[in-house]
Every structure is written in C-alpha cells, then in structure tokens.
Amino acid sequence: MMTGASNLSLIASAIYGIVFLTTLLAAVAAAKTHQKQWHILSWVWLAAVFAAMAAARIYQVEDVMRDELREMLRAQGNYNTRRVFQGAIAVALAGVIAALCAWWFVRRGRYLHGKRNVAVALANAAGAGLIMLVMMRLISLSQIDWFLFGPLKLNWIADLGFSFAVSGASISYVWWVSRRF
C-alpha cells in the first residue's frame, strides 16, 4: 500500500517541474523567433515528458506499475522465472532505444551544425536517456537494479544528469535565439 510520495520524490518532481518550465520557455522562444519546426516540436515533447515525469513522481506511478507487474506475474505463476524475460525485455528495450536514436541522428545529423541545433539534439538525447532509465527501473532486473540503486546511486546521478542536460540545453537555446533578434 502506497503512503504518499517520499521527500526525494517530491524533490525530483520539483526538479522535473523546473525542467518543464525551461523546456516550455524554449518552445515559446523557438516559436516566437520562427525557428525550425523540429526545434519547436522537440521542446514541446520534452516539456510533455517532464510534466509527465513530475506527475508520475508525485503519484508514484513507477512504484504502482512495478507492484502491479509483480502481482500479475505472481498470479500467473511466473514470478520465479521473471529474470528470463526481464533480461530479454531489457536487451530489446536498449536495442530499440539505440536504434531509434541512431535513426534520428542519421536523419537529423546533417542539420546539426550550429549551437541551436546541437542544443536541441542534446536535449532530445537526454530526454530519450531519461525515458530509457525509467523503463529500466520498471523492468527491475536484479543486475540492473544493482547498478542503478547500488553504492554509487547511478539512478540519481543519471536522472539528475539527464534533467540538468535538458534544462541547460533549453536555457542555452533561449539565450542564443533571443540574442539573434
């Protein structure tokens, strides 16, 4: 039974809220200064991702989903053999995310000269990294959990790193596009 969001979850959702605001600001700046359509769409999708992440932290969506998945596996009698398909899901997930990122960079790579394009690409990559991190937390494979939640707390380092990368890129983007006009 969930008792409410922890203080760390509330801090994380506040950080996500700040990133949401910076990405929303970048989307508005991109639209106002008539930047490329993919810039605007990128900032809007990133704002949506961070708004969803903030809400998910407050309402403990990850914990609820993980608990529901475990209960479903127990009900089906598959809980003791979960490692087999968790590993397959983790590999497939990493492969799909890597393929999508590679496809995106091949498709957009020729447009990545200039500070604004690089800022948007970096923010998109960090946003994709955060989504992959969340999915890895949901899979909750013991070996992955050891890296994420072990002594180094790579989960928090990666989470904060991706969030600050997106926020830094969006703030830089706003600075660069506002100086142009």
Side-chain angles (χ1 to χ4, degrees), residues 2-76:
M2 298 295 155
T3 59
S6 69
N7 288 337
L8 287 176
S9 287
L10 293 175
I11 291 168
S13 64
I15 291 169
Y16 293 149
I18 291 167
V19 179
F20 164 75
L21 292 175
T22 63
T23 54
L24 198 58
L25 184 62
V28 169
K32 278 187 174 180
T33 58
H34 309 289
Q35 299 299 311
K36 296 174 184 169
Q37 186 70 22
W38 74 274
H39 288 200
I40 299 166
L41 293 174
S42 292
W43 294 121
V44 168
W45 100 264
L46 285 165
V49 165
F50 281 92
M53 290 295 296
R57 282 289 186 164
I58 291 170
Y59 295 108
Q60 300 172 303
V61 172
E62 279 184 54
D63 296 333
V64 169
M65 287 178 70
R66 195 171 25 255
D67 291 345
E68 289 294 321
L69 288 170
R70 287 181 183 147
E71 285 303 313
M72 185 178 71
L73 290 172
R74 283 185 184 108
Q76 294 174 351

Side-chain angles (χ1 to χ4, degrees), residues 23 26 31 40-41 56 83-84 88-89 94 118 120 138 141-142 146 157 172:
T23 54
I40 299 166
L41 293 174
R83 303 269 185 256
V84 173
I89 291 171
V118 171
V120 176
L138 282 174
L141 186 62
S142 293
W146 186 85
I157 293 169
S172 298

Side-chain angles (χ1 to χ4, degrees), residues 126 129-130 133 148 153-164:
L130 182 64
L133 176 66
L148 293 178
K153 305 294 184 223
L154 293 178
N155 173 55
W156 280 96
I157 293 169
D159 202 318
L160 289 170
F162 290 137
S163 297
F164 291 146

Side-chain angles (χ1 to χ4, degrees), residues 116-140:
R116 292 168 291 143
N117 292 332
V118 171
V120 176
L122 173 66
N124 278 318
L130 182 64
I131 290 170
M132 185 169 172
L133 176 66
V134 168
M135 290 184 174
M136 289 297 177
R137 288 192 304 232
L138 282 174
I139 293 168
S140 188

